Amino acid sequence: MPKKSVKGRGSSTEEASPCKQSRVVSSDAPSPLCFQSPQSLFESLIQPVGTEQFFVEYWEKKPLLLQRSDPAVASYYQSLFQLADLRSLCSQGLQFYRDVNIVRCVNGKKKVLNKEGLVKNAALTTNLSRNKASIQFHQPQRFQDELWRIQEKLESYFGALVGSNIYITPEKSQGLPAHYDDVEVFILQLEGEKRWRLYNPTVPLAAEYSVEPEENIGSPTHDIILKTGDLLYFPRGTIHQAETPAGVCHSTHLTLSTYQRMSWGDVLSDALPSMLFDRSRTEVGLREGVPRRLLLADSSDVKTNRRLAAILRTLAEDLEAGRQEVTSSHMKKDFITNRLPPPCLQQLPAGGAPALEDTVCLRFKDHMMVTVESSQQSTEEATEQFVFVFHSLKNSRENHMMGDIGDEEEEWHSSKGLRFPLSHLPALRQLQQEERLPVRQLHLAADQDKLSLTLALWSESLLHVL
């Protein structure tokens, strides 16, 4: 993407032009986004760029700027969140640090101006006008229904968590110093204008945690002015900074971030331990002892390296031939446990209770996962496997991406999972693959098993009786 020039930049003196005022818009502005499916939502978000072009040319490669001239799009973006919305939310007990950060970039360093306790309107006003500080509001989808709808669809589209933050920055001010993050970032400009400067990535595909780069970061590769309704994407690892130019009272933008800890290394770290454990039960060679004093040696010898390489090579060959499955169960559970619940979820099961003569279909397929695991009560000598169905329908929207959800495995199993005998796996796969299926055609021998399976799914609002 060519470098963008900047014209009409305000001077550094206080004699600036009058502030541009944001239009007051209705919260029910018509949406230019299509919520029919996760695919259609993302397509409408990045239009006119197609999804195939986006993932071939931009995803994890380079920034993409989409400038919109349609007033309807600008009005919709404004309706997603404004400073007035944050002021209204102060009555709901917002807290510093947990919900709101007050930050300012001073001499290239981040300065946090938070106080303890609840966030008051007066504090927002003081920090914006007098301290020229930025307001960072964490995870607004907890309060704004339209952002909930957007992020829930994006989580289904990417198969990964999608977080968000609101940044409100006053005129001629910058909230954060130049830095890079470990997520893929989509910027939506909601109010006013903001100047973005992007630099070359510190390393291809940033490491696990965001770290402020060295002061000497070179010249920007992109110098961009975002206006209300514009969208900017840049890959993780891209050094960036943003400021509100002169003549703009304040600027509000929304960051949508995704694909944190979603690398090949993360998948291998999750999948390899369980794969090796399963194979060790059937392959004697993996249960043979390692060479004597291996742990006391400074490094392994050539013979040991060859033995390990042979084991990994056999595993790789079985993976390629389809004789070994990759089961990244921890990553899947983490996603299902922490993602947003569907906005359209009804509190009661859909339709009447299923009967043998009924035809049924799964609801919220993107919100459930089926795994085969050993029972926690089983002993090592007699391991019994069960089928577990986990889902996110009972997840808390209020805690989304806030780190408040407990990770006690046993508690989560009991509250958000269903357990079935291993014999039920073919029937569950049927339901996952078919759009509609007669209960009698389920791959289970007994009619009672067919009824108990469908009733359990129906009672969790995962099954619809047609």
Side-chain angles (χ1 to χ4, degrees):
M1 186 173 68
K3 181 176 178 179
K4 302 290 181 180
S5 60
V6 180
K7 298 181 181 180
R9 182 176 179 180
S11 65
S12 58
T13 64
E14 292 301 319
E15 288 81 26
S17 57
C19 290
K20 301 175 184 177
Q21 299 295 329
S22 297
R23 291 177 297 160
V24 178
V25 296
S26 171
S27 61
D28 58 355
S31 174
L33 303 180
C34 178
F35 290 89
Q36 184 175 356
S37 68
Q39 174 76 21
S40 65
L41 185 280
F42 186 71
E43 288 176 347
S44 60
L45 182 67
I46 65 168
Q47 62 84 29
V49 175
T51 55
E52 182 177 357
Q53 179 187 2
F54 174 78
F55 286 105
V56 170
E57 297 183 16
Y58 298 99
W59 179 254
E60 296 188 329
K61 297 180 181 69
K62 62 181 181 180
L64 169 66
L65 171 64
L66 297 175
Q67 295 175 309
R68 275 68 180 265
S69 58
D70 187 349
V73 174
S75 295
Y76 175 74
Y77 272 46
Q78 283 182 302
S79 73
L80 292 177
F81 201 93
Q82 297 186 31
L83 175 59
D85 295 313
L86 183 58
R87 293 190 185 280
S88 299
L89 289 173
C90 285
S91 63
Q92 298 190 27
L94 299 183
Q95 298 183 10
F96 284 107
Y97 296 101
R98 171 183 162 83
D99 301 300
V100 172
N101 275 336
I102 306 296
V103 294
R104 186 181 180 189
C105 180
V106 179
N107 297 324
K109 301 293 183 181
K110 182 176 76 171
K111 184 177 182 180
V112 180
L113 305 177
N114 287 354
K115 296 183 178 180
E116 296 294 334
L118 299 179
V119 179
K120 302 295 184 181
N121 266 314
L124 299 181
T125 301
T126 299
N127 281 290
L128 281 173
S129 59
R130 184 184 305 172
N131 298 333
K132 295 295 182 181
S134 293
I135 302 170
Q136 180 188 31
F137 179 43
H138 303 309
Q139 312 304 334
Q141 72 279 1
R142 296 177 294 146
F143 304 93
Q144 296 294 89
D145 288 348
E146 192 71 357
L147 292 178
W148 179 15
R149 293 176 67 206
I150 292 172
Q151 289 177 238
E152 185 270 336
K153 281 288 189 290
L154 288 177
E155 286 186 333
S156 291
Y157 182 75
F158 286 108
L161 296 175
V162 176
S164 68
N165 281 297
I166 292 288
Y167 292 87
I168 304 173
T169 305
E171 178 185 16
K172 294 190 296 185
S173 181
Q174 179 174 333
L176 300 174
H179 65 284
Y180 66 86
D181 303 301
D182 64 329
V183 288
E184 304 296 318
V185 181
F186 295 85
I187 306 294
L188 281 64
Q189 187 66 29
L190 307 186
E191 281 187 296
E193 299 178 3
K194 187 158 286 184
R195 176 182 292 109
W196 287 82
R197 287 178 176 171
L198 308 183
Y199 304 79
N200 285 322
T202 56
V203 292
L205 307 182
E208 186 175 0
Y209 298 105
S210 59
V211 180
E212 293 181 5
E214 300 294 333
E215 293 183 4
N216 183 18
I217 55 179
S219 301
T221 56
H222 301 77
D223 202 343
I224 301 165
I225 289 287
L226 283 189
K227 299 182 179 181
T228 305
D230 291 346
L231 182 146
L232 172 66
Y233 159 80
F234 52 83
R236 61 188 185 273
T238 303
I239 302 172
H240 58 279
Q241 57 184 335
E243 64 178 356
T244 299
V248 179
C249 284
H250 68 267
S251 170
T252 304
H253 74 264
L254 166 74
T255 64
L256 296 172
S257 57
T258 189
Y259 251 58
Q260 187 176 46
R261 302 185 186 95
M262 288 291 291
S263 69
W264 287 111
D266 293 312
V267 171
L268 287 173
S269 297
D270 185 25
L272 276 177
S274 60
M275 291 166 60
L276 291 174
F277 176 79
D278 291 339
R279 293 176 73 91
S280 295
R281 294 188 300 175
T282 58
E283 294 187 17
V284 176
L286 289 177
R287 300 199 299 272
E288 294 177 356
V290 299
R292 184 171 55 86
R293 296 180 59 82
L294 177 66
L295 302 182
L296 296 177
D298 292 335
S299 60
S300 56
D301 56 23
V302 174
K303 186 176 181 181
T304 299
N305 289 342
R306 287 175 177 171
R307 179 68 181 271
L308 290 173
I311 293 172
L312 293 174
R313 192 175 299 112
T314 301
L315 184 61
E317 290 172 353
D318 287 348
L319 280 172
E320 191 171 16
R323 295 188 295 269
Q324 174 71 54
E325 291 186 0
V326 178
T327 55
S328 51
S329 58
H330 179 77
M331 291 180 67
K332 290 181 178 180
K333 287 180 185 177
D334 181 73
F335 174 53
I336 292 295
T337 304
N338 293 290
R339 69 163 303 182
L340 282 165
C344 59
L345 179 63
Q346 299 175 356
Q347 297 301 316
L348 298 176
L356 284 175
E357 60 273 12
D358 288 329
T359 297
V360 297
C361 68
L362 282 181
R363 309 172 72 208
F364 310 114
K365 290 184 179 182
D366 288 340
H367 286 264
M368 63 177 290
M369 60 173 286
V370 179
T371 65
V372 176
E373 301 179 17
S374 299
S375 172
Q376 295 180 340
Q377 289 76 30
S378 59
T379 63
E380 186 174 343
E381 292 77 13
T383 301
E384 186 176 4
Q385 291 188 316
F386 293 90
V387 179
F388 288 91
V389 176
F390 300 116
H391 64 83
S392 55
L393 272 57
K394 296 180 181 179
N395 286 1
S396 169
R397 170 196 178 187
E398 290 73 20
N399 289 327
H400 182 245
M401 301 296 289
M402 297 299 290
D404 290 343
I405 300 178
D407 57 358
E408 293 288 338
E409 190 76 6
E410 183 174 353
E411 178 182 348
W412 191 72
H413 272 227
S414 62
S415 63
K416 301 187 181 181
L418 299 171
R419 192 182 78 169
F420 301 101
L422 190 59
S423 59
H424 285 48
L425 181 60
L428 285 165
R429 296 301 188 202
Q430 270 184 286
L431 289 167
Q432 286 183 306
Q433 295 167 6
E434 300 292 338
E435 289 298 324
R436 49 193 295 153
L437 186 70
V439 175
R440 288 189 182 276
Q441 293 183 13
L442 286 171
H443 292 164
L444 287 167
D447 287 346
Q448 183 57 44
D449 289 338
K450 298 175 184 179
L451 285 174
S452 63
L453 172 62
T454 53
L455 182 60
L457 296 172
W458 173 81
S459 64
E460 293 284 302
S461 297
L462 293 170
L463 196 76
H464 180 65
V465 180
L466 301 174

